[in-house]
Amino acid sequence: MNTQLNTFVVADPHKCIGCKVCEVACAMAHSDRKITTAGTFETPVISKLYLVKTAEITMPIQCRHCEDATCANVCPISAIKQVDNKILIDETTCIGCKTCMMACPFGAIDLAPVFKEGAAVIQNILRVETTEGLIEKEMVVANKCDLCAGRVNGPACVEACPEKALEVITPKKEKKKRNIEAALSLKKFIG
């Protein structure tokens, strides 16, 4: 079997301080404009991960890039595919039906407006009835971690975290590391 398992990012809730630097780094990495400071954002800060902060836990939740990805299995138009050991959403074909969002067991998928060159993309035909009358409707598509596909340094959230609470997990390397740790821990019991 020559299957390579999908990579994903995991957070250590014991290290996470809830600063949201990961969310800002993610939004900046996925912006179609060069951003030098958070104050230069011309669009809303839209991250592909979601910080959960409760009395019991603080940590970002993001896509686990499941091997049998429920989101991809339920997508009625096959807009979610496995590419290069990642589960990715093709935003150009996504219709914003929310089926993947409902199917994700981690709550890692949301819907977000599409922005191009600093402006929201407007749907071609569909309009929304408001108290001011019929207005143009923004295009909204499924949004989730893509491991910063195409970014040379890997996921921006991992690189930016001041507490090093985020880690890229490559299952094959993680298994090997754990096997070595287990062997070393058993060494003391063997003559």
Side-chain angles (χ1 to χ4, degrees):
M1 185 166 104
N2 191 18
T3 301
Q4 187 165 348
L5 302 177
N6 294 336
T7 302
F8 60 98
V9 173
V10 70
D12 182 344
H14 301 291
K15 292 180 179 178
C16 181
I17 59 173
C19 65
K20 295 192 173 211
V21 168
C22 56
E23 287 185 349
V24 173
C26 176
M28 288 175 60
H30 291 91
S31 174
D32 63 352
R33 294 183 165 212
K34 183 171 172 48
I35 299 167
T36 54
T37 66
T40 61
F41 268 111
E42 294 175 359
T43 60
V45 175
I46 300 173
S47 177
K48 294 181 177 283
L49 58 106
Y50 313 97
L51 188 79
V52 172
K53 196 171 189 175
T54 70
E56 296 84 25
I57 195 161
T58 299
M59 67 183 278
I61 300 297
Q62 54 209 107
C63 179
R64 299 298 290 263
H65 298 271
C66 302
E67 296 306 319
D68 187 17
T70 308
C71 59
N73 291 328
V74 300
C75 181
I77 59 162
S78 300
I80 304 174
K81 296 180 175 41
Q82 181 168 332
V83 179
D84 298 328
N85 302 324
K86 300 171 191 67
I87 302 298
L88 301 177
I89 298 171
D90 181 352
E91 292 181 1
T92 62
T93 58
C94 176
I95 59 173
C97 70
K98 303 173 214 63
T99 307
C100 59
M101 185 175 86
M102 299 301 294
C104 177
F106 300 101
I109 302 176
D110 201 358
L111 277 109
V114 177
F115 285 87
K116 296 280 187 231
E117 298 176 12
V121 175
I122 304 300
Q123 292 190 18
N124 293 331
I125 299 171
L126 192 60
R127 303 288 183 255
V128 178
E129 181 80 36
T130 68
T131 55
E132 288 92 39
L134 225 51
I135 62 169
E136 294 179 324
K137 184 172 180 165
E138 294 176 347
M139 182 172 287
V140 180
V141 297
N143 184 51
K144 71 167 202 66
C145 172
D146 61 2
L147 295 171
C148 291
R151 187 172 183 273
V152 177
N153 296 334
C157 59
V158 174
E159 184 178 6
C161 180
E163 298 298 315
K164 305 298 178 214
L166 297 167
E167 180 182 0
V168 176
I169 301 295
T170 304
K172 191 173 185 177
K173 288 179 186 174
E174 184 67 19
K175 182 183 182 317
K176 185 175 183 174
K177 180 181 110 181
R178 289 179 183 216
N179 288 157
I180 291 168
E181 289 170 357
L184 290 172
S185 71
L186 292 173
K187 181 181 175 184
K188 61 186 171 191
F189 298 111
I190 300 172

